[in-house]
Amino acid sequence: MLLAVAAAATGLWLEHRQLRGGSQEDIAEVGDRSPDATFIDIDGKTHRLSDWHGRRVLLNFWASWCAPCRREMPLLNQADGRHRAGGAVVIGVAEDTRDAVRAYLREAPVGYPVLLVDADAPGGSLSLGNTLRVLPYSVLIGEDGRILRRKSGTFTAAELDDWLAP
């Protein structure tokens, strides 16, 4: 029965991808080059993922309505501060509205860049392997632009140090 449920869910997911004009090939795997996505910050300025080429980049997908995401942000902020000099950077990628993100960051500011993206866009969490559509979702991109690791759920401080250390 579990196999039948999994097969049905996979079929629905593939049908959804085909209706959108996409395919399984649109989803980057560990070892693949990350898509050079375009993001927008809360002020409307455009940023490309390639702007950080040559650095270890932790993309952390989140939303203002996601309680685990909000609990994790102080840890991400501290880790970014500890590892930035070593060439790593944390980037918060909100799959949320600009107004909601702006309001949340007024209450709980962070020192790392926070950008916006549609979940289904290239560079959104789905294109980087978040097929379960959970938040928070994180992807570590190496200095060469290749995906090194992916994680669904929150980090501990020790995990962040492990991921971001050179």
Side-chain angles (χ1 to χ4, degrees):
M1 171 130 170
L2 184 57
L3 186 57
V5 171
T10 301
L12 289 173
W13 178 79
L14 289 172
E15 180 179 303
H16 170 75
R17 298 289 296 163
Q18 290 165 349
L19 289 173
R20 285 186 38 252
S23 68
Q24 282 184 289
E25 291 80 37
D26 294 337
I27 298 175
E29 297 292 333
V30 171
D32 290 348
R33 284 203 166 278
S34 173
D36 186 21
T38 300
F39 304 104
I40 297 173
D41 66 23
I42 60 173
D43 297 320
K45 184 178 176 191
T46 302
H47 301 270
R48 296 189 66 83
L49 185 54
S50 60
D51 295 345
W52 290 278
H53 187 76
R55 300 186 73 176
R56 184 173 282 236
V57 177
L58 175 63
L59 295 178
N60 177 258
F61 293 90
W62 68 285
S64 62
W65 47 261
C66 170
C69 301
R70 293 190 313 261
R71 284 192 302 271
E72 181 180 57
M73 289 176 83
L75 284 177
L76 292 164
N77 198 42
Q78 293 164 2
D80 181 66
R82 284 192 306 274
H83 294 281
R84 191 170 284 262
V89 62
V90 173
I91 300 173
V93 184
E95 294 183 343
D96 204 338
T97 67
R98 183 179 301 171
D99 290 342
V101 171
R102 184 178 285 134
Y104 181 74
L105 291 175
R106 273 194 300 270
E107 295 172 21
V110 294
Y112 56 85
V114 174
L115 308 172
L116 302 161
V117 71
D118 181 85
D120 291 335
S125 67
L126 179 60
S127 71
L128 293 168
N130 188 10
T131 58
L132 297 177
R133 306 284 189 136
V134 298
L135 294 176
Y137 180 78
S138 298
V139 177
L140 183 64
I141 301 170
E143 294 84 347
D144 63 354
R146 294 199 180 277
I147 298 170
L148 300 175
R149 297 169 114 172
R150 300 187 297 200
K151 177 180 174 63
S152 299
T154 59
F155 282 102
T156 65
E159 285 175 311
L160 282 167
D161 287 341
D162 178 54
W163 277 46
L164 295 174

